[in-house]
């Protein structure tokens, strides 16, 4: 990995590795490669990596770090260990096969009450919105806002739609929404202002499961349109319900 990143402290128990300041799939590949490298080579006291759009946070247990004398601070020692682990294998990265998760979605109707609004605002038919939304794979840049909520980038300008001025107080789990050029899926019932165009029968977050989140940053999502009958059938048999 070329030295195109910087280290910053996050309190006394975390380090932020910041890559470039703009969002792109290439930058995010660097982020996920760094997170994977560190997770596969954990240091004593390591807790977890949390990748985001242009950075990755590394959390550790301060009291478990045995700092050598040549380092002035625990932070400097952690940065040194992270630097050692961030040796990129460019050939492996170039040949890596993207991890694509298929998400079945029942669009429109009671599951997607804003589908027609999104269509009207973009001078399209609801069928065209569905075709465009399900017509490509989307990168998951980060998991946040709520447990298991994927921030997914790359929505075409043709269906981009601003958030609602007044958020809904309750959004059903599995709801698929659009906000600007992002799309996402609400994993739990929560307030939210995204335009809802459909709903998946898959549960994105189960506290008792390992891992608890179905999705993770660095994966790709592929939306597959389904009818109500298939929605109900998948909901009944899905391991993630």
């Amino acid at each position: 990995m070329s030295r195109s990143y910087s280290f910053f402290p996050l309190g006394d128990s975390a380090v932020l590795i910041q890559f470039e300041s703009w969002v792109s799939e290439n930058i995010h590949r660097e982020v996920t490669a760094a997170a994977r490298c560190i997770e596969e080579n954990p240091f004593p006291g390591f807790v977890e990596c949390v990748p985001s759009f242009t950075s990755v946070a590394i959390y550790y247990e301060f009291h478990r770090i045995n700092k050598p004398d040549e380092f002035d601070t625990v932070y400097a020692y952690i940065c040194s260990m992270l630097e050692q682990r961030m040796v990129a294998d460019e050939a492996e990265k170039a040949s890596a096969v993207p991890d694509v998760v298929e998400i079945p979605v029942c669009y429109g109707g009671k599951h997607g009450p804003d589908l027609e609004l999104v269509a009207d605002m973009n001078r399209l038919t609801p069928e065209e919105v569905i075709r465009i939304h399900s017509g490509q794979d989307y990168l998951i840049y980060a998991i946040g806002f709520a447990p298991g909520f994927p921030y997914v980038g790359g929505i075409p300008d043709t269906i981009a739609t601003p958030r609602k001025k007044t958020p809904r107080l309750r959004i059903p789990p599995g709801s698929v929404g659009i906000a600007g050029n992002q799309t996402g899926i609400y994993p739990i019932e929560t307030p939210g202002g995204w335009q809802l165009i459909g709903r998946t029968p898959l549960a994105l977050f189960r506290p008792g499961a390992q891992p608890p989140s179905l999705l993770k940053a660095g994966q790709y999502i592929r939306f597959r349109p389904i009818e109500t009958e298939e929605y109900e059938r998948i909901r009944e048999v899905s391991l993630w319900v």
Side-chain angles (χ1 to χ4, degrees), residues 12-14 43-48 59-66 74 78:
D12 63 357
S13 298
F43 53 86
F46 171 79
V47 176
E48 66 174 338
Y59 292 86
Y60 55 89
E61 295 179 293
F62 185 89
H63 66 277
R64 291 186 56 198
I65 306 301
N66 186 17
V74 168
I78 295 295

Side-chain angles (χ1 to χ4, degrees), residues 113-126 128-129 132 156-166 168 178-181 193-197:
D114 298 322
L115 177 62
E116 292 192 6
L117 172 64
V118 171
D120 290 343
M121 292 185 70
N122 289 285
R123 298 183 180 180
L124 299 169
T125 66
E128 288 174 322
V129 173
I132 295 170
D157 290 338
T158 50
I159 59 172
T161 312
R163 290 176 173 85
K164 289 186 172 299
K165 293 182 179 179
T166 302
R168 290 182 171 91
I178 289 177
N181 285 92
W194 292 37
Q195 307 289 353
L196 305 183
I197 62 171

Side-chain angles (χ1 to χ4, degrees), residues 157-237:
D157 290 338
T158 50
I159 59 172
T161 312
R163 290 176 173 85
K164 289 186 172 299
K165 293 182 179 179
T166 302
R168 290 182 171 91
L169 297 180
R170 299 174 64 181
I171 292 180
S175 295
V176 178
I178 289 177
N181 285 92
Q182 294 188 99
T183 187
I185 311 170
Y186 287 86
I188 60 176
E189 183 179 284
T190 178
W194 292 37
Q195 307 289 353
L196 305 183
I197 62 171
R199 190 175 177 188
T200 179
L202 301 181
L204 272 64
F205 181 72
R206 290 197 312 170
Q210 288 298 327
S213 178
L214 173 63
L215 304 172
K216 62 182 180 180
Q219 290 177 321
Y220 285 80
I221 282 180
R222 178 179 301 154
F223 296 106
R224 179 173 67 85
I226 59 174
E227 300 297 331
T228 302
E229 294 76 11
E230 185 174 359
Y231 174 93
E232 295 297 339
R233 185 167 64 252
I234 295 174
R235 188 169 181 271
E236 290 178 358
V237 302

